[in-house]
Amino acid sequence: KAGVTQTPRYLIKTRGQQVTLSCSPISGHRSVSWYQQTPGQGLQFLFEYFSETQRNKGNFPGRFSGRQFSNSRSEMNVSTLELGDSALYLCASSTLTGGRTGELFFGEGSRLTVL
Amino acid sequence: SQQGEEDPQALSIQEGENATMNCSYKTSINNLQWYRQNSGRGLVHLILIRSNEREKHSGRLRVTLDTSKKSSSLLITASRAADTASYFCATASNNNDMRFGAGTRLTVKP
């Protein structure tokens, strides 16, 4: 079974631009969560999608958005990029959602650098 | 915001020694999980312990959970250089997302 696939792996943007990151979950997994990882803040929860519906959202500004498609693939978008958005963005898929969360399967991440 | 807090932040040991990492959390949980991350890579699930369990083993890993103290520990026995990584605890609560701690950076010297 193929693992969680995130694209692109690396990207460089400038302040003010926007970026879209993609995540393909493991086949059969309907829950996709996104996390931002930075050296200073650690792993911060962004949002979780289950069957195309956003189930949970972390404490991030509205510039961070996401969606999930009918095939469970998910995208997250960050608009008006700021230097502080430089981070490793991790996607994780699971068969469960919310409080019944079991094991999360992570992708290798998309490393975003904002100049 | 983070739920779990790992302790210590960094740990350096010799190969063959045991490594113990601790995690404290704030709210009631359904389960607690430990993950490992090699530098700059994705996280890999190690072990899950449910709120009604007190101890669990998997190979060289031993996890304990004390819900009265809202704490957990991860013990890696007979450590190897390949165990060098960051270790995170994560908590799952009702109607809530998975929250991760700041992690413990483990270095195992050959």
Side-chain angles (χ1 to χ4, degrees), chain A residues 48 56 97-101, chain B residues 27 92-99:
Chain A
E48 181 207 358
N56 284 300
T97 184
R100 293 168 288 124
T101 300
Chain B
T27 64
S93 309
N94 275 335
N95 301 317
N96 213 337
D97 50 87
M98 289 277 292
R99 300 280 178 161

Side-chain angles (χ1 to χ4, degrees), chain A residues 24-115:
Chain A
S24 293
I26 291 173
S27 177
H29 286 193
R30 294 163 65 188
S31 172
V32 174
S33 299
W34 288 89
Y35 291 85
Q36 180 196 65
Q37 187 176 30
T38 59
Q41 297 297 318
L43 272 156
Q44 300 287 321
F45 172 75
L46 281 158
F47 24 66
E48 181 207 358
Y49 288 88
F50 184 83
S51 294
E52 302 179 66
T53 302
Q54 186 180 88
R55 292 301 179 99
N56 284 300
K57 190 176 191 303
N59 189 25
F60 278 83
R63 299 186 297 107
F64 291 80
S65 62
R67 59 178 174 168
Q68 187 179 34
F69 302 95
S70 58
N71 62 358
S72 293
R73 189 177 70 86
S74 177
E75 289 181 348
M76 67 162 284
N77 183 277
V78 188
S79 62
T80 319
L81 284 166
E82 300 176 359
L83 295 178
D85 297 333
S86 294
L88 180 66
Y89 290 87
L90 292 163
C91 163
S93 75
S94 171
T95 57
L96 303 173
T97 184
R100 293 168 288 124
T101 300
E103 177 181 353
L104 293 179
F105 295 82
F106 281 85
E108 292 295 333
S110 292
R111 182 164 295 283
L112 170 65
T113 301
V114 182
L115 302 176

